[in-house]
Amino acid sequence: LQQNYPNPFNPQTRISYTLPERAAVRLVVYDLTGSEIMVLVDGWRSAGSHHVIWDGRDAVGREMPSGAYLYQLRTNAGTSKQAVTRRMLFLR
């Protein structure tokens, strides 16, 4: 999981990640209290590089306020499970 770019961002940011093998992937944006804001990826992805754009909105389309957010990539490939979390800053 790479650092989002740009960071800080407005109006959108790109989140990139690389998978060494095909895996079940879940990429989620959280606020600093741990509340889930938006699920960006939820499903199987092939090995290789991937990216997704987050536009600063929650799951129902509301614009989120300025502030720090966390994004977490969880992968599950066979018996291997991983979770990586990074921080980003959204400025309105």
Side-chain angles (χ1 to χ4, degrees), residues 35-83:
S35 296
E36 189 175 285
I37 301 299
M38 179 67 149
V39 176
L40 300 173
V41 178
D42 190 13
W44 286 90
R45 296 296 181 263
S46 61
S49 297
H50 303 270
H51 74 271
V52 64
I53 303 295
W54 184 49
D55 63 1
R57 295 177 185 272
D58 69 5
V60 294
R62 292 178 296 217
E63 292 181 357
M64 300 306 299
S66 292
Y69 292 87
L70 303 173
Y71 58 105
Q72 183 178 68
L73 178 72
R74 290 184 174 271
T75 60
N76 184 357
T79 59
S80 174
K81 294 181 181 181
Q82 258 188 5

Side-chain angles (χ1 to χ4, degrees), residues 17-30:
Y17 60 96
T18 302
L19 301 173
E21 61 184 316
R22 184 175 186 268
V25 174
R26 185 166 169 86
L27 178 58
V28 180
V29 176
Y30 297 94

